[in-house]
Amino acid sequence: MNIEHIKKTDFEVAEQIELELKRQQETIELIASENCTSLAVMEACGSVLTNKYAEGKPHKRYYNGCEHIDVIEEICQKRACELFQMEHANVQPHSGAQANMAVFMATMKPGDRVLSMDLSNGGHLSHGSPVNFSGLYFDVKSYGINEYGEIDYEEVRKMAIEHKPRLIICGASNYSKIIDFKKFREIADEVGALLLADIAHIAGLVATGLHPSPAPYADFVTTTTHKSLRGPRGGIIMCKEEWAKEIDKAVFPGMQGGPLEHIIAGKAVALLEASKPEFKEYAAQIIKNAKALAQGLMDEGLDIVGGMTENHLMTLDLRKTGKTGKDMANVLELVGITANKNTVPNDPQSPFVTSGIRLGTPAVTTRGFKEEDMTEVAKIIAGAIYASDNEIALKNLRERSLKLCKKHPLYE
Ligand SMILES: *Cc1c(COP(=O)(O)O)cnc(C)c1O
């Protein structure tokens, strides 16, 4: 990674970038929403495109000099539509949250009703949390997961019939089972609701056919580009042609100003990468690694919410160990593993403490971790949890995690 110019002009920032690179190289990244993007994607994001204002759409801009920007944005749109089999793509959302905001704005008036998954059950802030704009300006009803860690579709159906939402949202930030988009469509049709599938987490799996696609069923598909899809930090909205105008208007001038064309170029590069056979192998390995990690943890006597995972992530349920998610996420950091605390169903702890830890495999799979490495990761995690007060044991575990990092170098 070349930062020679920053080093010359800004020692303080350069130093932190170098330290962050070292941190990424020397820790096992299990935050389920993170990944390590390619150098090609990073080059696009660090390119001259950052200089350009391009408010509007390709060929309908408010600024001149957009001839190359237009081509890049059109390439990106085309690749998104092809990869996810959708009719229209707006690739301008700065983030996943803004992609969802734009769908809200395009489809509803303030006060209209939404049915979505509860945040503490695995949903996302932007799906109607009371502290988010989506919960402040819309009337939100939420469904959860049952004790098996699964969506109870009959429960969703009953709620939809009772509340008659204008929009139903499926897709989650922490859900380890396959989502039945067809069933959501049937429920939406039964009550005349629109359906938004937010595939932020599983986009890489959907793109490769390793998770069923919402394309035949959803009116709108939103995604982030930086999670399992392995692109730059950003969002995309896809929809049927009949909604294209409303969606585009909601993004600009609705809620954003100039699009980040350097990031859009990065998204285009990532979408091309995701269409290659190597990416399908990568996505398959993400799932194999998640299953190996879950199995390894269960073999060590730990519980996983809902048992075996069907995708790239899982929640470790710490209730029977008597430890909390907050404490154990900190202990894992001591042994060189990054993960985040998370609530479990019927969590006795507050959302700030929690009884769970969410673990995901997209980032380590990018580094080349295989099943046997995940078994070792499971042993390190279990060791850290069981010996969380034993400094010497934790030190030894740190050595073992560093060894795995050295075995699979990153950006070297
Ligand atoms: C991560 C995520 C988002 C939001 O992404 P940001 O880019 O952080 O705004 C939206 N929806 C779901 C389901 C997510 O997991």
Side-chain angles (χ1 to χ4, degrees):
M1 210 141 313
N2 197 345
I3 58 163
E4 59 178 311
H5 296 94
I6 311 177
K7 275 190 187 164
K8 273 187 210 143
T9 59
D10 188 339
F11 170 74
E12 283 175 291
V13 169
E15 185 185 24
Q16 295 308 318
I17 293 174
E18 287 192 322
L19 287 171
E20 171 61 13
L21 172 61
K22 189 165 148 57
R23 187 193 69 80
Q24 291 184 18
Q25 288 171 328
E26 296 185 352
T27 54
I28 295 176
E29 184 56 72
L30 295 181
I31 293 178
S33 50
E34 293 192 8
N35 211 328
C36 315
T37 198
S38 71
L39 293 176
V41 167
M42 275 192 238
E43 276 174 12
C45 297
S47 69
V48 292
L49 301 175
T50 197
N51 295 338
K52 192 71 198 96
Y53 245 117
E55 282 178 350
K57 301 197 246 191
H59 311 295
K60 284 184 197 152
R61 306 283 191 183
Y62 290 78
Y63 290 82
N64 286 78
C66 290
E67 59 267 38
H68 308 299
I69 296 287
D70 283 352
V71 175
I72 290 169
E73 190 167 331
E74 280 179 331
I75 289 172
C76 190
Q77 291 169 338
K78 184 162 165 283
R79 288 179 184 169
C81 288
E82 279 173 8
L83 194 62
F84 292 103
Q85 312 254 291
M86 295 290 290
E87 290 171 10
H88 176 75
N90 186 307
V91 297
Q92 294 187 354
H94 300 332
S95 73
Q98 276 182 302
N100 287 338
M101 274 177 92
V103 175
F104 276 60
M105 189 173 174
T107 57
M108 292 185 289
K109 292 190 191 62
D112 279 358
R113 190 167 289 162
V114 179
L115 177 62
S116 61
M117 188 186 258
D118 178 60
L119 177 65
S120 67
N121 277 255
H124 189 262
L125 271 172
S126 62
H127 294 183
S129 160
V131 297
N132 183 262
F133 108 99
S134 55
L136 287 169
Y137 298 118
F138 297 89
D139 178 18
V140 180
K141 305 290 173 192
S142 42
Y143 59 90
I145 54 173
N146 62 23
E147 60 189 299
Y148 308 108
E150 289 174 8
I151 295 166
D152 180 341
Y153 292 92
E154 198 40 47
E155 178 69 25
V156 176
R157 182 172 167 267
K158 278 189 196 142
M159 290 190 77
I161 290 168
E162 185 188 342
H163 299 298
K164 297 258 177 297
R166 164 89 174 133
L167 179 71
I168 297 177
I169 308 179
C170 57
S173 299
N174 189 17
Y175 187 65
S176 67
K177 305 290 174 181
I178 300 290
I179 299 170
D180 192 337
F181 295 119
K182 181 161 181 271
K183 224 166 230 162
F184 270 106
R185 176 79 262 167
E186 286 164 8
I187 294 168
D189 283 344
E190 203 175 333
V191 299
L194 293 163
L195 182 64
L196 162 61
D198 178 350
I199 59 167
H201 258 263
I202 55 173
L205 309 182
V206 171
T208 48
L210 296 168
H211 186 292
S213 169
Y217 309 112
D219 300 285
F220 310 93
V221 175
T222 54
T223 186
T224 57
T225 44
H226 49 276
K227 297 178 184 173
S228 60
L229 196 58
R230 209 164 70 182
R233 194 156 288 283
I236 295 179
I237 308 170
M238 290 164 285
C239 62
K240 296 183 178 164
E241 198 54 52
E242 61 186 284
W243 283 100
K245 268 210 175 103
E246 289 304 315
I247 287 291
D248 290 348
K249 252 172 46 193
V251 175
F252 176 85
M255 62 189 47
Q256 290 188 173
L260 310 177
E261 294 294 344
H262 52 308
I263 303 298
I264 289 173
K267 290 173 188 172
V269 173
L271 289 165
L272 180 68
E273 289 175 358
S275 69
K276 304 275 185 205
E278 303 90 89
F279 193 86
K280 183 161 187 176
E281 266 170 51
Y282 160 66
Q285 190 64 46
I286 291 178
I287 299 173
K288 283 187 211 160
N289 282 351
K291 287 183 190 285
L293 178 60
Q295 190 58 54
L297 292 166
M298 291 189 281
D299 289 346
E300 294 293 323
L302 293 165
D303 292 334
I304 304 288
V305 174
M308 184 47 78
T309 173
E310 295 175 352
N311 58 21
H312 64 297
L313 62 68
M314 69 210 72
T315 304
L316 184 55
D317 181 346
L318 295 165
R319 278 177 296 187
K320 80 177 182 202
T321 68
K323 319 237 165 152
T324 66
K326 182 172 176 231
D327 288 346
M328 289 310 103
N330 290 335
V331 166
L332 289 184
E333 191 159 359
L334 292 177
V335 301
I337 292 177
T338 323
N340 59 288
K341 66 178 182 227
N342 222 111
T343 47
V344 299
N346 308 313
D347 203 317
Q349 304 284 356
S350 79
F352 301 100
V353 178
T354 80
S355 302
I357 294 181
R358 186 182 67 159
L359 304 167
T361 54
V364 289
T365 306
T366 295
R367 292 184 76 148
F369 278 50
K370 295 277 170 5
E371 289 93 321
E372 67 266 23
D373 303 312
M374 300 318 297
T375 307
E376 169 70 353
V377 172
K379 285 182 180 152
I380 296 170
I381 291 173
I385 290 167
Y386 293 134
S388 57
D389 298 326
N390 182 338
E391 244 176 72
I392 295 169
L394 294 181
K395 246 196 177 135
N396 285 332
L397 292 167
R398 175 67 185 114
E399 287 305 313
R400 281 165 68 181
S401 76
L402 199 55
K403 218 169 127 187
L404 278 176
C405 291
K406 298 244 155 89
K407 181 177 166 195
H408 299 292
L410 178 68
Y411 301 131
E412 272 176 17

Coordinates of all heavy atoms in Angstrom, one line a residue, residues 53-90:
Y53 N -17.4 16.8 -9.5 CA -18.8 17.0 -9.2 C -19.7 16.4 -10.3 O -19.5 16.7 -11.5 CB -19.2 18.5 -9.0 CG -19.6 18.7 -7.5 CD1 -18.9 19.6 -6.7 CD2 -20.7 18.1 -7.0 CE1 -19.2 19.8 -5.4 CE2 -21.1 18.3 -5.7 CZ -20.3 19.2 -4.9 OH -20.7 19.4 -3.6
A54 N -20.7 15.6 -10.0 CA -21.5 15.0 -11.0 C -23.0 14.8 -10.5 O -23.6 13.8 -10.7 CB -20.9 13.7 -11.4
E55 N -23.5 15.9 -9.9 CA -24.9 15.8 -9.5 C -25.8 15.4 -10.6 O -25.6 16.0 -11.7 CB -25.3 17.1 -8.8 CG -24.8 17.3 -7.4 CD -25.2 18.6 -6.8 OE1 -25.7 19.5 -7.5 OE2 -25.0 18.7 -5.6
G56 N -26.8 14.6 -10.4 CA -27.7 14.1 -11.4 C -27.3 12.7 -11.9 O -26.7 12.0 -11.1
K57 N -27.8 12.3 -13.1 CA -27.6 11.0 -13.6 C -26.7 11.0 -14.8 O -26.6 12.1 -15.4 CB -29.0 10.4 -14.0 CG -30.0 10.3 -12.9 CD -31.1 9.4 -13.3 CE -32.4 10.1 -13.6 NZ -33.5 9.1 -13.7
P58 N -26.2 9.9 -15.2 CA -25.4 9.9 -16.4 C -26.1 10.6 -17.6 O -27.3 10.3 -17.8 CB -25.2 8.4 -16.7 CG -25.2 7.8 -15.3 CD -26.2 8.6 -14.6
H59 N -25.5 11.5 -18.3 CA -26.0 12.3 -19.4 C -27.0 13.3 -19.0 O -27.6 14.0 -19.8 CB -26.5 11.3 -20.5 CG -25.6 10.3 -20.9 ND1 -24.4 10.5 -21.5 CD2 -25.6 8.9 -20.7 CE1 -23.7 9.4 -21.6 NE2 -24.5 8.4 -21.2
K60 N -27.4 13.4 -17.7 CA -28.3 14.4 -17.2 C -27.7 15.0 -16.0 O -28.3 14.9 -14.9 CB -29.7 13.8 -16.9 CG -30.5 13.5 -18.1 CD -31.9 12.9 -17.7 CE -32.5 12.2 -18.9 NZ -33.4 11.2 -18.4
R61 N -26.6 15.7 -16.2 CA -25.8 16.2 -15.0 C -26.0 17.7 -14.9 O -26.4 18.4 -15.9 CB -24.3 15.9 -15.2 CG -24.0 14.5 -15.4 CD -24.0 13.6 -14.1 NE -23.4 12.3 -14.4 CZ -23.4 11.3 -13.5 NH1 -23.9 11.5 -12.3 NH2 -22.8 10.2 -13.8
Y62 N -25.8 18.2 -13.7 CA -25.9 19.6 -13.4 C -24.5 20.3 -13.6 O -24.3 21.5 -13.4 CB -26.4 19.9 -12.0 CG -27.8 19.5 -11.9 CD1 -28.2 18.2 -11.8 CD2 -28.8 20.5 -12.0 CE1 -29.6 17.9 -11.7 CE2 -30.1 20.2 -11.9 CZ -30.5 18.9 -11.7 OH -31.9 18.6 -11.6
Y63 N -23.5 19.5 -14.0 CA -22.1 20.0 -14.2 C -21.6 19.5 -15.5 O -22.0 18.4 -16.0 CB -21.2 19.5 -13.1 CG -21.5 20.1 -11.7 CD1 -22.5 19.6 -10.9 CD2 -20.7 21.2 -11.3 CE1 -22.7 20.2 -9.7 CE2 -21.0 21.8 -10.1 CZ -22.0 21.3 -9.3 OH -22.2 21.8 -8.1
N64 N -20.7 20.3 -16.1 CA -20.0 19.8 -17.3 C -18.8 19.0 -17.0 O -18.4 18.9 -15.9 CB -19.6 21.1 -18.2 CG -20.9 21.7 -18.8 OD1 -21.6 22.4 -18.1 ND2 -21.1 21.4 -20.1
G65 N -18.3 18.4 -18.1 CA -17.1 17.6 -17.9 C -17.3 16.2 -17.4 O -16.4 15.6 -16.8
C66 N -18.5 15.7 -17.5 CA -18.8 14.4 -16.9 C -18.7 13.2 -17.9 O -19.2 12.1 -17.6 CB -20.2 14.4 -16.3 SG -20.3 15.5 -14.9
E67 N -18.1 13.4 -19.1 CA -18.2 12.4 -20.1 C -17.5 11.0 -19.6 O -18.1 10.0 -20.0 CB -17.6 12.8 -21.4 CG -16.1 13.3 -21.4 CD -16.0 14.8 -21.2 OE1 -16.8 15.4 -20.4 OE2 -15.1 15.4 -21.9
H68 N -16.5 11.1 -18.9 CA -15.9 9.8 -18.4 C -16.6 9.3 -17.2 O -16.8 8.1 -17.0 CB -14.4 10.1 -18.1 CG -13.7 10.7 -19.3 ND1 -13.6 10.1 -20.5 CD2 -13.1 11.9 -19.5 CE1 -13.0 10.9 -21.4 NE2 -12.7 12.0 -20.8
I69 N -17.0 10.2 -16.3 CA -17.8 9.8 -15.1 C -19.0 9.1 -15.6 O -19.4 8.1 -15.0 CB -18.2 11.1 -14.3 CG1 -16.9 11.8 -13.8 CG2 -19.2 10.8 -13.3 CD1 -16.2 11.2 -12.7
D70 N -19.7 9.6 -16.6 CA -20.9 9.0 -17.1 C -20.7 7.6 -17.5 O -21.5 6.7 -17.2 CB -21.5 9.8 -18.3 CG -22.1 11.1 -17.9 OD1 -22.3 11.3 -16.7 OD2 -22.5 11.9 -18.8
V71 N -19.6 7.3 -18.2 CA -19.3 6.0 -18.7 C -19.1 5.1 -17.5 O -19.6 3.9 -17.4 CB -18.0 5.9 -19.6 CG1 -17.7 4.5 -20.0 CG2 -18.3 6.8 -20.9
I72 N -18.3 5.5 -16.5 CA -18.0 4.7 -15.3 C -19.3 4.4 -14.6 O -19.6 3.2 -14.2 CB -17.0 5.4 -14.4 CG1 -15.6 5.5 -15.1 CG2 -17.0 4.8 -13.0 CD1 -14.6 6.4 -14.4
E73 N -20.1 5.4 -14.4 CA -21.4 5.1 -13.6 C -22.3 4.2 -14.3 O -22.9 3.3 -13.7 CB -22.1 6.5 -13.3 CG -23.2 6.2 -12.3 CD -23.8 7.5 -11.6 OE1 -23.0 8.5 -11.5 OE2 -25.0 7.5 -11.3
E74 N -22.3 4.3 -15.7 CA -23.2 3.4 -16.5 C -22.6 2.0 -16.4 O -23.4 1.0 -16.3 CB -23.3 3.9 -17.9 CG -24.3 5.0 -18.1 CD -24.4 5.5 -19.5 OE1 -23.4 5.4 -20.3 OE2 -25.5 6.0 -19.9
I75 N -21.3 1.8 -16.4 CA -20.7 0.5 -16.3 C -21.1 -0.1 -15.0 O -21.5 -1.3 -14.9 CB -19.2 0.6 -16.4 CG1 -18.7 0.9 -17.8 CG2 -18.5 -0.8 -16.0 CD1 -17.2 1.2 -18.0
C76 N -21.1 0.7 -14.0 CA -21.4 0.2 -12.6 C -22.9 -0.2 -12.5 O -23.2 -1.3 -12.0 CB -21.1 1.3 -11.6 SG -21.2 0.7 -9.9
Q77 N -23.8 0.6 -13.1 CA -25.2 0.3 -13.1 C -25.4 -1.0 -13.8 O -26.2 -1.9 -13.3 CB -26.0 1.4 -13.8 CG -26.0 2.7 -13.0 CD -26.6 3.8 -13.9 OE1 -26.6 3.8 -15.1 NE2 -27.1 4.9 -13.3
K78 N -24.8 -1.1 -15.0 CA -25.0 -2.3 -15.8 C -24.6 -3.6 -15.1 O -25.2 -4.6 -15.1 CB -24.3 -2.1 -17.1 CG -24.5 -3.2 -18.1 CD -24.1 -2.7 -19.5 CE -23.9 -3.9 -20.5 NZ -22.7 -4.7 -20.4
R79 N -23.4 -3.5 -14.5 CA -22.8 -4.6 -13.7 C -23.7 -5.0 -12.6 O -23.9 -6.2 -12.3 CB -21.4 -4.4 -13.3 CG -20.4 -4.4 -14.4 CD -19.0 -4.0 -14.0 NE -18.1 -4.0 -15.1 CZ -16.9 -3.5 -15.1 NH1 -16.4 -3.1 -13.9 NH2 -16.2 -3.5 -16.2
A80 N -24.3 -4.0 -11.9 CA -25.1 -4.3 -10.7 C -26.4 -5.0 -11.2 O -26.8 -6.1 -10.6 CB -25.5 -3.0 -10.0
C81 N -27.0 -4.5 -12.3 CA -28.2 -5.1 -12.8 C -28.0 -6.6 -13.3 O -28.8 -7.5 -13.0 CB -28.8 -4.3 -14.0 SG -29.5 -2.8 -13.5
E82 N -26.8 -6.8 -13.9 CA -26.5 -8.1 -14.4 C -26.3 -9.1 -13.3 O -26.8 -10.2 -13.3 CB -25.3 -8.1 -15.4 CG -25.8 -7.6 -16.8 CD -24.6 -7.4 -17.7 OE1 -23.4 -7.8 -17.4 OE2 -24.8 -6.9 -18.8
L83 N -25.4 -8.7 -12.3 CA -25.0 -9.5 -11.3 C -26.2 -10.0 -10.4 O -26.4 -11.1 -10.0 CB -24.0 -8.9 -10.4 CG -23.2 -9.7 -9.4 CD1 -22.4 -10.8 -10.2 CD2 -22.3 -8.9 -8.6
F84 N -27.1 -9.0 -10.2 CA -28.3 -9.3 -9.3 C -29.6 -9.5 -10.0 O -30.6 -9.6 -9.4 CB -28.4 -8.2 -8.2 CG -27.2 -8.2 -7.3 CD1 -26.2 -7.2 -7.4 CD2 -27.1 -9.1 -6.3 CE1 -25.2 -7.2 -6.5 CE2 -26.1 -9.1 -5.4 CZ -25.1 -8.2 -5.5
Q85 N -29.5 -9.5 -11.4 CA -30.7 -9.8 -12.2 C -31.9 -8.8 -11.9 O -33.0 -9.3 -11.8 CB -31.1 -11.2 -11.9 CG -30.0 -12.2 -12.0 CD -30.1 -13.0 -13.3 OE1 -31.0 -13.8 -13.5 NE2 -29.1 -12.8 -14.2
M86 N -31.5 -7.5 -11.7 CA -32.6 -6.6 -11.5 C -32.7 -5.6 -12.7 O -31.7 -5.5 -13.4 CB -32.3 -5.8 -10.2 CG -32.4 -6.6 -8.9 SD -34.0 -7.2 -8.4 CE -34.8 -5.7 -7.9
E87 N -33.8 -4.9 -12.8 CA -34.0 -4.1 -14.0 C -33.3 -2.8 -13.9 O -32.8 -2.2 -14.9 CB -35.5 -3.9 -14.2 CG -36.2 -5.1 -14.7 CD -37.8 -5.0 -14.6 OE1 -38.3 -3.8 -14.5 OE2 -38.4 -6.0 -14.8
H88 N -33.3 -2.2 -12.7 CA -32.7 -0.8 -12.6 C -31.8 -0.8 -11.4 O -32.1 -1.4 -10.3 CB -33.8 0.2 -12.4 CG -33.3 1.6 -12.2 ND1 -32.8 2.4 -13.2 CD2 -33.2 2.4 -11.1 CE1 -32.4 3.6 -12.7 NE2 -32.7 3.6 -11.4
A89 N -30.7 0.0 -11.5 CA -29.8 0.1 -10.3 C -29.4 1.6 -10.2 O -29.1 2.3 -11.2 CB -28.5 -0.7 -10.5
N90 N -29.5 2.1 -9.0 CA -28.9 3.4 -8.6 C -27.7 3.1 -7.7 O -27.9 2.5 -6.6 CB -30.0 4.3 -7.9 CG -29.4 5.7 -7.6 OD1 -28.3 5.8 -7.1 ND2 -30.2 6.7 -8.1

